Amino acid sequence: SQQGEEDPQALSIQEGENATMNCSYKTSINNLQWYRQNSGRGLVHLILIRSNEREKHSGRLRVTLDTSKKSSSLLITASRAADTASYFCALTGGGNKLTFGTGTQLKVEL
Amino acid sequence: EPEVTQTPSHQVTQMGQEVILRCVPISNHLYFYWYRQILGQKVEFLVSFYNNEISEKSEIFDDQFSVERPDGSNFTLKIRSTKLEDSAMYFCASTTETGRAKNIQYFGAGTRLSVL
């Protein structure tokens, strides 16, 4: 299955610290995206990395992709309480649907 | 900023009843999707829709489900005879383009469906 598996399932850090979440998958992909979901809300797109890219930055976000290891990581630097949310990787393969991972619940404490 | 709008935010229904979940995608988008998320589980793809027809659907999207774009703005998901296990958050998404390089989908806030 193409499904991504995130780890850790839950992560609790102090404000100002960095948060790293990982996503592993099993099949080939066209691109990999990260989405954020605040509790009970919709999904917000954060960043997309193509299969031929290795690293991408957007503000305090840094995403890496290692297609040989079939894994990606999302780094949030200098975290804030407002970053508290669930983070999902989403894969796109041959079709257009997104296949979501199981998610990492991030809690940033003051 | 344009956004995907979903109504209602919460729908309560009795088992066996029909429900219609409504979505207004972003106006210049061409591809539309429905996903669902059972409480505590991952987001699952249901169906994609382009050029007035289903382009892809999952195993979840059986004969009880249908989608429609009745006019130029709305995109609906109908469940004909709801079951308890249909209780979930349903998300609509849209995108303006697809392909290898780009598939950023914009999601609505979701409709929570509770089947009693």
Side-chain angles (χ1 to χ4, degrees):
Chain A
S1 120
Q2 196 177 53
Q3 177 184 327
E5 298 287 339
E6 281 102 327
D7 79 272
Q9 287 187 331
L11 179 61
S12 183
I13 59 174
Q14 297 294 313
E15 198 171 48
E17 293 180 338
N18 296 340
T20 300
M21 289 157 269
N22 303 295
C23 171
S24 59
Y25 56 92
K26 295 181 180 176
T27 61
S28 62
I29 59 171
N30 289 334
N31 62 58
L32 185 146
Q33 304 177 50
W34 286 88
Y35 283 79
R36 184 185 73 219
Q37 184 181 34
N38 288 83
S39 180
R41 302 290 296 169
L43 295 138
V44 176
H45 177 264
L46 296 176
I47 196 165
L48 178 151
I49 187 165
R50 303 174 190 177
S51 59
N52 61 353
E53 296 176 316
R54 292 295 167 259
E55 187 171 313
K56 205 156 182 184
H57 297 254
S58 176
R60 294 184 295 113
L61 305 179
R62 173 178 168 251
V63 168
T64 61
L65 179 65
D66 187 336
T67 53
S68 66
K69 294 182 180 177
K70 291 187 166 57
S71 68
S72 173
S73 67
L74 171 67
L75 168 67
I76 304 173
T77 60
S79 63
R80 305 166 183 166
D83 294 329
T84 295
S86 292
Y87 292 82
F88 296 88
C89 64
L91 315 173
T92 304
N96 302 320
K97 68 180 181 185
L98 294 177
T99 302
F100 284 87
T102 50
T104 293
Q105 287 188 328
L106 173 65
K107 184 175 182 181
V108 181
E109 301 187 70
L110 294 170
Chain B
E1 185 176 322
E3 60 180 19
V4 176
T5 306
Q6 289 187 244
T7 55
S9 57
H10 190 191
Q11 174 85 52
V12 182
T13 189
Q14 295 290 323
M15 190 170 56
Q17 294 296 304
E18 174 183 287
V19 294
I20 298 177
L21 309 183
R22 302 180 190 281
C23 169
V24 179
I26 295 173
S27 62
N28 64 337
H29 284 189
L30 302 174
Y31 301 83
F32 314 111
Y33 307 84
W34 283 101
Y35 294 83
R36 81 170 185 191
Q37 184 180 34
I38 295 171
L39 186 63
Q41 298 186 23
K42 63 182 174 71
V43 177
E44 300 173 291
F45 167 77
L46 292 178
V47 65
S48 59
F49 192 86
Y50 169 70
N51 200 25
N52 283 321
E53 60 183 26
I54 291 173
S55 49
E56 190 175 359
K57 62 182 181 179
S58 72
E59 292 177 352
I60 303 168
F61 195 87
D62 61 21
D63 292 343
Q64 292 300 310
F65 292 87
S66 63
V67 289
E68 192 177 32
R69 188 156 163 83
D71 52 43
S73 60
N74 290 285
F75 178 51
T76 61
L77 174 69
K78 181 194 290 187
I79 309 175
R80 288 189 184 82
S81 178
T82 50
K83 308 184 191 77
L84 295 176
E85 54 265 36
D86 293 328
S87 295
M89 185 77 105
Y90 288 80
F91 294 106
C92 173
S94 69
T95 187
T96 185
E97 56 190 313
T98 59
R100 288 176 59 84
K102 298 182 182 181
N103 190 21
I104 297 172
Q105 296 183 19
Y106 297 85
F107 284 76
T111 292
R112 179 167 299 284
L113 176 65
S114 299
V115 182
L116 305 178

